[in-house]
Every structure is written in structure tokens, then in C-alpha cells.
Amino acid sequence: MRENYDRNSISEFLNASLGKSSRYSGLAHVIQSIAQGAVRVNEQVQQAALADVLGTTGDTNVQGEIVQRLDAASSDIFVDELSNSGKVAVIGCEEIEDPVVAGRSDDHAYIVLMDPLDGSSNIDVAVSIGSIFGIWKRDLDEEVSADSLLKPGNEQVAAVYVVYGSSTVMVAATENSVQGFTLDPATGQFFLTNRDIVIPEECPYYSTNEGNFEELDVNTRQAVSDLRNGYSLRYVGSLVADFHRNLLKGGIFLYPADTKRPEGRLRLMYEANPLGFVAEQAGGAASTGYVRIMDVMPEQLHQRTPLILGNKDVVNKVVQTIGS
Ligand code: AHM
Ligand code: MG
């Protein structure tokens, strides 16, 4: 029988689950401001060419990548919402070279690192894209500065992502809790639809860019060959969409280091750490291939990392093969 959802709106859910905890004071506000931003970005994603938001801005970002108009618009929207929440001290963003200081009072207790529009290569072609956020608590004894956000993933207090797909969904993880919400286009509100998400033990899928196979070292090639024999390939090319499928259905995502990308392709602070946090809270795992993602000590806001992410047993098997 179809589950009877209790239509908890995201604000009702957040207030009930986080509202009374002094440890997480203000966190519900931060997540709510991300939800508000996601509603605004979703409008632009849906209107696409009609709103004239497709194509490039003509600029390149700090990573040397071409900035899409929707990358820039999403970055502006989320900086605006997070700054207005009154709870965020510093924002680090894929599209902005230096951290944005949003407030210095004790109320500004959180640090947010974000990829405002993940899957940029899919923007213009109506394929699922998303937004990713890692949330840390600020040390109130320290002055707010650009270095405030160089914290390891294991200090995250929450992580959130949004997928703008065949429906628009938002997943929010806090310690031992991963909850999924779906945007109701009629009311413009997110409602709780996937309660207490746990990554399934069965792992039907692996997701990797097979076009990079020849660039991999011998052990990583072996790991990918093993996956080919046991699992079906699914690769959208938007990390957040590939991860969301694997979280709900079971699966493993790999973007390992290779000869063209010795540092890896994905960003530690606003891609690997937040999704690694979600995976771990849902019973999964995240590794560089050698160490737990969450334990990497960051050196720079925009640093890259290899990433192996998903079902714990399969991540462990791949890590073992890579290190053998
Ligand atoms: P982006 O944040 O600029 O969109 O780049 C990250 C994206 C990920 O979403 C995705 O997993 C990866 O890049 C795809 O890379 P490739 O095209 O090399 O397979
Ligand atoms: Mg990205």
C-alpha cells in the first residue's frame, strides 16, 4: 500500500526536530534559507531558455571553468538567502574566489560551503542538476575570517543537497538523520516525503566516467573492471543526481585520481565533504581511495579530491583494490 505521507512541511519538520536543541540553535533557519533559495533557483531551472538564463556569462571561475549564467544566478540567490538568515558568518562558494563574510555577531554561528549549481554541463540540455551545501559551526571564540572555513568534514553538523530533476527534491542530513523532501509546485513548499533514509544494502549500480578508464592507474582500472562485472552502469554527469539515485537505490560513485587529474576532479569542501556526510549518516561511506574523506585536513577552499562514495561494503572493496 502507498505510504500515507503526513505532509509535514520542511519548516514544521525542522522546528520539531531541531528547534529545541541548544546545540543546533539557528540551524533550522539556515536549512530553511537554503530551501527558500532552492525554490527560487528551481523557478529559473524550470523556465530555462524562456527566462533567458541558459548559456555562459563569458567569465571563467576560480577553477578556470566557464561560468554558466545559471551558475552565477544560483550563487547570487543562495548568498542572498544565507546572508539574510542572520545565522551564517561565512560562506564559501564554488563560483566565488574568496569567502564571503556575512556576519560577525554570536548569532552568526554557522559556516556554509556550497556548490550552488552542480552539474553545469547539464544545464542547457534539460538533464538533472542540483545544489550542494556543507554546514559547520563556527568557533565563537575566534574572529571571523577567511580561514574560519578551513575545517575538516568530520566537524560538519549538517549537509543538504537539492536535485532539480523530474521532481525537485531536497535531502537534509544531521547527525544520524537523513530526511528527504519534495517540492510541491502548487504551494512552492518542500514537504517531507522520504523519512529516515538509509542507503540500501544491495548495490545495483556503479557510476563513473568510463571515458577516463585509460587514464587510471593499474589498481584503479582493476577496481572499475570488477564493478563492471557485478553492477549496472548509471552515470548522469551531475554528481548530485548520481549520488541521489545511489542513496535511494543503492550504488557507488567514483571519480578517482587519474593521469589528467592527479588531484581528482571534484571539490573537497563543497562536493565531497557534504555528500560524504550525507552518505555516512545514511550508513554509507566516502573515501579518497586512501583515507576517509571526512578526515582530510583542508588547505584551501577550492581544493580538489578523488572521491569514492556510496555503499559502505562496496566503497571498502574498491579502496582495498586501489591500495593493493
Ligand atoms: P560542476 O560543479 O562545475 O558542475 O562540476 C562537477 C561535475 C560533477 O557534478 C560531475 O560528477 C562531474 O563534474 C562530471 O565530470 P565529467 O564530465 O568529467 O564526467
Ligand atoms: Mg559541482
Side-chain angles (χ1 to χ4, degrees):
M1 211 175 88
R2 196 175 176 279
E3 194 176 338
N4 186 16
Y5 296 121
D6 49 12
R7 295 284 288 181
N8 257 184
S9 72
I10 192 164
S11 51
E12 285 164 348
F13 177 81
L14 292 172
N15 287 332
S17 58
L18 299 172
K20 288 175 198 79
S21 151
S22 57
R23 180 161 180 235
Y24 295 125
S25 168
L27 182 57
H29 266 82
V30 178
I31 298 177
Q32 183 63 38
S33 70
I34 292 173
Q36 280 161 214
V39 171
R40 290 171 62 190
V41 172
N42 183 64
E43 273 168 24
Q44 304 224 354
V45 171
Q46 294 304 315
Q47 293 198 341
L50 299 173
D52 203 20
V53 291
L54 302 188
T56 69
T57 61
D59 298 326
T60 49
N61 70 9
V62 58
Q63 343 262 345
E65 296 160 346
I66 292 164
V67 177
Q68 304 289 323
R69 294 170 80 169
L70 204 54
D71 284 327
S74 313
S75 172
D76 291 348
I77 287 171
F78 285 117
V79 168
D80 178 48
E81 294 288 348
L82 289 165
S83 304
N84 286 337
S85 74
K87 304 292 175 193
V88 177
V90 196
I91 304 163
C93 172
E94 176 179 345
E95 302 304 330
I96 306 175
E97 183 156 6
D98 296 317
V100 176
V101 175
R104 296 178 188 276
S105 83
D106 282 6
D107 258 5
H108 298 98
Y110 292 93
I111 292 164
V112 178
L113 288 155
M114 66 174 177
D115 178 353
L117 210 290
D118 178 59
S120 302
S121 69
N122 285 324
I123 290 175
D124 289 357
V125 292
V127 173
S128 297
I129 50 184
S131 307
I132 308 174
F133 306 84
I135 305 173
W136 282 255
K137 253 201 142 160
R138 180 191 141 208
D139 187 345
L140 291 177
D141 298 333
E142 272 176 24
E143 212 183 308
V144 175
S145 76
D147 287 345
S148 307
L149 39 67
L150 292 182
K151 292 177 181 293
N154 56 31
E155 291 181 17
Q156 277 172 112
V157 291
V160 176
Y161 68 81
V162 182
V163 180
Y164 313 100
S166 51
S167 56
T168 295
V169 297
M170 174 164 160
V171 171
T174 50
E175 197 180 355
N176 297 322
S177 161
V178 182
Q179 312 295 335
F181 304 85
T182 302
L183 181 65
D184 175 1
T187 61
Q189 280 200 77
F190 282 94
F191 289 92
L192 181 63
T193 46
N194 300 68
R195 197 183 269 277
D196 299 326
I197 297 171
V198 175
I199 191 161
E201 264 172 43
E202 212 185 312
C203 178
Y205 302 127
Y206 80 103
S207 311
T208 197
N209 184 336
E210 282 278 357
N212 297 339
F213 187 78
E214 295 302 325
E215 313 297 332
L216 302 175
D217 67 30
V218 125
N219 287 358
T220 312
R221 270 192 227 170
Q222 184 59 51
V224 172
S225 301
D226 294 345
L227 292 171
R228 283 178 184 163
N229 292 329
Y231 308 91
S232 292
L233 172 66
R234 293 283 187 284
Y235 190 70
V236 171
S238 298
L239 168 66
V240 70
D242 279 311
F243 175 73
H244 185 61
R245 180 199 48 249
N246 294 351
L247 179 72
L248 296 188
K249 303 281 188 193
I252 180 168
F253 175 95
L254 296 88
Y255 214 122
D258 61 35
T259 51
K260 285 195 184 145
R261 290 154 284 248
E263 309 294 323
R265 159 89 164 89
L266 299 170
R267 274 52 63 106
L268 173 67
M269 297 302 284
Y270 39 80
E271 292 181 321
N273 269 335
L275 298 187
F277 181 86
V278 177
E280 287 195 3
Q281 305 315 309
S287 170
T288 65
Y290 298 94
V291 292
R292 179 180 171 226
I293 285 285
M294 234 47 74
D295 291 338
V296 176
M297 272 310 295
E299 285 166 14
Q300 310 168 29
L301 168 57
H302 299 287
Q303 87 188 57
R304 294 180 190 263
T305 181
L307 177 63
I308 325 277
L309 176 69
N311 282 64
K312 199 189 236 170
D313 292 349
V314 190
V315 168
N316 288 344
K317 225 187 283 171
V318 166
V319 168
Q320 224 171 19
T321 308
I322 290 178
S324 61

